[in-house]
Amino acid sequence: MAQPERTQPIYTPQGGPPRVDRPSGEILETVGEEGVFRILSNTYKRIGESPIRAMFADDLEAASRRSAAFFVQVMGGAPLYTENYGPPRMRMRHFPFEIDAAARTVWLQCFRGSLQEDVEHHGFPSEHLASFETFLEEFSKWMVNVEPKA
Ligand code: HEM
């Protein structure tokens, strides 16, 4: 993956690691593994059209599959991420990318858009939407690794 060297030091958010419930296993039971892969595929399509596209590898579909494996695992499904890519260590895996508050906002918008689309057209259980979004909001704070501007 072609990615520039970091130009800014790694910043650690003050809140520390996320203390948030994992998304409910009922979501996985409802949409199935293929549903999780669909949601991430659609999220990454949105990322592909967004201002943070350049952070990601050329092959967005392959990148979406790595993320989908993680979300299947997080919802109590098969340990697809660990089996294929090793321990999650998500914050560390994001260190090569300079993620500031603005990038986080764009990332969240892309994910929210694909979740909304899934509720409307593909059967994502709407009663679990709010808690899934809370998980993303909290977890994504911990992925930020560029100091906020004063
Ligand atoms: C805060 C905003 C975020 C940004 C800007 C961001 C950005 C990125 C980037 C640039 C990659 C590399 C993709 C590639 O292979 O080209 C990545 C990978 C990944 N991200 Fe994020 N991310 C964010 C938040 C999150 C959150 C909150 C999670 C999980 C809850 C997450 C899970 C993952 C996973 C599972 C991967 C795949 C790692 C791998 O390659 O094995 N990300 N992310």
Side-chain angles (χ1 to χ4, degrees):
M1 141 184 9
Q3 102 217 341
E5 295 282 308
R6 282 187 72 98
T7 59
Q8 301 174 76
I10 288 172
Y11 159 79
T12 305
Q14 284 173 359
R19 286 178 297 260
V20 60
D21 288 342
R22 291 168 171 235
S24 167
E26 282 177 26
I27 299 170
L28 180 60
E29 282 163 26
T30 307
V31 303
E33 278 185 13
E34 66 280 9
V36 179
F37 278 76
R38 172 186 65 233
I39 292 163
L40 270 298
S41 174
N42 288 332
T43 300
Y44 274 68
K45 282 190 186 121
R46 287 170 187 262
I47 287 173
E49 319 249 292
S50 81
I52 62 172
R53 202 278 163 246
M55 251 186 217
F56 289 77
D58 290 345
D59 189 347
L60 281 178
E61 193 53 38
S64 87
R65 287 194 292 269
R66 292 194 289 277
S67 284
F70 172 78
F71 279 92
V72 167
Q73 179 164 334
V74 154
M75 288 189 272
L80 298 183
Y81 191 86
T82 301
E83 280 173 0
N84 289 291
Y85 313 111
R89 303 187 67 189
M90 271 306 136
R91 182 168 148 78
M92 191 205 71
R93 286 184 193 265
H94 285 74
F95 282 163
F97 315 104
E98 295 192 325
I99 301 177
D100 60 12
R104 169 177 175 262
T105 300
V106 173
W107 184 91
L108 279 171
Q109 278 165 352
C110 293
F111 217 130
R112 282 206 196 98
S114 85
L115 285 173
Q116 193 58 47
E117 184 186 328
D118 221 82
V119 168
E120 285 167 20
H121 300 292
H122 303 291
F124 184 100
S126 55
E127 67 273 24
H128 290 299
L129 182 59
S131 64
F132 196 102
E133 289 189 335
T134 301
F135 174 80
L136 296 179
E137 270 165 39
E138 293 304 314
F139 211 107
S140 61
K141 287 179 188 162
W142 186 231
M143 295 304 123
V144 171
N145 57 37
V146 171
E147 187 167 18
K149 292 185 194 83

